Amino acid sequence: MAKSPVTVTVTGAAGNIGYALLFRIASGAMLGPDVPVRLNLLEIPQAVKAAEGTAMELNDAAFPLLDSVNIYDDVNQAFEGSNVALLVGARPRTKGMERADLLAANGGIFGPQGRAINDHAADDVKVLVVGNPANTNAFIAAASAPDVPADRFNAMMRLDHNRAMSQLKEKTGTPISEIEKVVVWGNHSADQHPDVSYATLAGRPALEMLDAEWLSSYFVPTVAKRGAAIIEARGASSAASAASAAIDHVYDWVNGTPDGSWTTAGVASHGEYGVPEGLIFGFPTISRGGAWEIVSDLDISDATRAGIKRNIAAAQEELDAVRDLGIL
Ligand code: NAD
Ligand code: LMR
C-alpha cells in the first residue's frame, strides 16, 4: 500500500539554498525512495512570485513522489500539519561579516516561526534550522515552542562535519565512505572545534596518520573558515553544499545512522561534556528510532575540552546579544 505523504515545510524557498534543496527533497533523497512528499513553501510576500516559479519547475520535473506544492506568506498556514520543517529563510552574510553580525537581521524571524510550529505543526515535527546564526536561531525557535520537546529543534552542523571529511579525504586519499567518527563540536561559526581524536580512516586511527601541526594549523582553520572562503570565491554564501548537508541531516534523523558510526548534529544539550542544558551544540550523535542520542561517554583531550569551552562562550555571547536586542 502506498504511504501517505509527509508534510515538509521549507522557509526561504525562493532563495539559493531553497533552489538546491527542494528538488532533492521531491526526488526522495531526504526521506527515502518510497515516501511521498507534500511541500509547503514559506516566503516573504516580495519573493512569493519567485517561489511560484520554483514550484512550476518542481511540478515540471514530474517527480513520482511529489504529492503537491503549496506556497504561503503566512507563517501559521505554512507550518500546518508539518512533519519536517527546514528553517532556511534568513539573510546570508556577505564578505567581511561574521555570522554573529546576522543576529539583528535574522533573530526576529525565528520566534514567530517557533510559535507557529508550536501551534500548527504535527505532533511528531522535526525542525532543522539552517538560517544563520543557526545554533542561536534554533534556540530562539525552541524557546518559542514550549509544547514541542527541545530535542526536536536542531541546528545544522552537518555541513561542517562534511567539510571536515572532505579535508581528510583530500589529505589522505581515504574514500568518504571509509572515514568514521569525525565530530565538529560547538557552534556553526569560526569558533567551532573540528576534532579527529576518535576518527578512523579506512579502519586506522586518524591521529596515527596525520601530524599534529597539519591538524592545528591547516585542518581546523580550513574547516572552521570554509564558509568565508566560499563567500570570497563565489561572491555568495554556500548553497548546494548546504542543501546537501540538510538532506544528509534529515535523512539520518529519520532513517538512523549506520551501526557503529556517528555524525555531527547541533542538538540541545542535557549537560553532556559540561555544555549548559538547552544550548544547541554540535555533538557526536547517533540517530535511532527517529531521535538523536548524544555520544556522552568519550574520554576527551585537554584540547577538545578547551574547544568545547570556547564554543560554550561563543554560543552564550550570541544568546546575550539576542537578549539585548529583546528577541529572547
Ligand atoms: P538567500 O538570500 O539566497 O535566500 C534566503 C531566502 O529567505 C530569500 O528568498 C528570502 O526572501 C527568504 N526569507 C527571508 N526572510 C524570510 C522569512 N521571514 N520567512 C520566509 N522566508 C524568508 O540565502 P541562502 O543562500 O538561501 O541562505 C539562507 C540562510 O542559510 C542564510 O542565513 C545563510 O547564512 C544560511 N546558511 C547556513 C548554513 C549552515 O551550515 N547552517 C550554510 C549555508 C548558509
Ligand atoms: C557556511 O558555513 O557556508 C554558511 O554558514 C554561510 C556562512 O556565512 O559562512
Side-chain angles (χ1 to χ4, degrees):
M1 199 176 74
K3 293 189 176 173
S4 46
V6 171
T7 300
V8 178
T9 301
V10 179
T11 74
N16 286 304
I17 295 177
Y19 196 72
L21 180 61
L22 293 166
F23 294 84
R24 293 196 61 203
I25 298 173
S27 76
M30 186 174 82
L31 297 174
D34 58 349
V35 183
V37 177
R38 181 183 297 128
L39 277 174
N40 282 357
L41 312 185
L42 177 68
E43 260 299 349
I44 53 173
Q46 309 87 288
V48 160
K49 188 150 196 277
E52 284 169 0
T54 303
M56 287 161 72
E57 285 200 75
L58 280 163
N59 288 323
D60 290 351
F63 290 111
L65 292 172
L66 185 58
D67 173 84
S68 53
V69 187
N70 305 290
I71 301 165
Y72 303 99
D73 61 10
D74 178 283
V75 71
N76 295 319
Q77 289 175 355
F79 289 108
E80 189 63 51
S82 198
N83 305 108
V84 176
L86 298 171
L87 308 191
V88 179
R91 203 183 129 189
R93 66 179 172 149
T94 43
K95 250 185 223 182
M97 284 170 88
E98 280 305 316
R99 290 183 179 91
D101 298 331
L102 292 173
L103 281 172
N106 291 339
I109 295 174
F110 293 86
Q113 291 186 357
R115 278 192 288 283
I117 288 168
N118 189 70
D119 295 347
H120 297 279
D123 289 344
D124 67 349
V125 67
K126 291 178 165 61
V127 184
L128 175 64
V129 176
V130 175
N132 277 321
N135 302 55
T136 296
N137 291 338
F139 185 97
I140 296 169
S144 310
D147 304 331
V148 181
D151 286 349
R152 307 274 202 75
F153 285 86
N154 291 181
M156 193 165 87
M157 295 291 297
R158 185 60 172 263
L159 180 56
D160 310 289
H161 180 95
N162 287 351
R163 286 169 171 165
M165 293 211 296
S166 155
Q167 290 303 319
L168 294 172
K169 175 187 172 194
E170 202 169 305
K171 176 74 175 167
T172 65
T174 311
I176 293 289
S177 59
E178 294 185 43
I179 301 176
E180 304 273 4
K181 296 193 173 171
V182 169
V183 57
V184 181
W185 301 90
N187 209 25
H188 176 65
S189 71
D191 290 295
Q192 65 184 245
H193 184 66
D195 184 5
V196 299
S197 305
Y198 328 92
T200 55
L201 308 178
R204 278 186 62 193
L207 290 181
E208 283 177 22
M209 297 171 69
L210 300 163
D211 68 84
E213 171 61 20
W214 180 81
L215 283 169
S216 62
S217 319
Y218 185 84
F219 173 74
V220 168
T222 300
V223 173
K225 295 182 187 160
R226 189 68 160 184
I230 288 172
I231 291 170
E232 178 68 32
R234 287 182 84 225
S237 154
S238 66
S241 57
S244 198
I247 296 282
D248 291 345
H249 180 115
V250 177
Y251 184 89
D252 283 349
W253 196 355
V254 171
N255 295 294
T257 39
D259 281 348
S261 186
W262 75 45
T263 187
T264 305
V267 296
S269 172
H270 316 97
E272 292 86 352
Y273 302 102
V275 178
E277 200 175 335
L279 220 57
I280 301 200
F281 205 82
F283 283 112
T285 45
I286 290 170
S287 162
R288 281 202 201 107
W292 293 109
E293 291 167 23
I294 297 171
V295 179
S296 58
D297 57 352
L298 299 172
D299 195 9
I300 56 173
S301 66
D302 289 347
T304 299
R305 199 172 299 284
I308 291 173
K309 227 172 142 187
R310 186 180 68 244
N311 275 276
I312 295 171
Q316 283 180 327
E317 209 172 286
E318 286 183 15
L319 288 176
D320 287 345
V322 292
R323 285 193 185 102
D324 288 348
L325 289 163
I327 292 167
L328 261 176

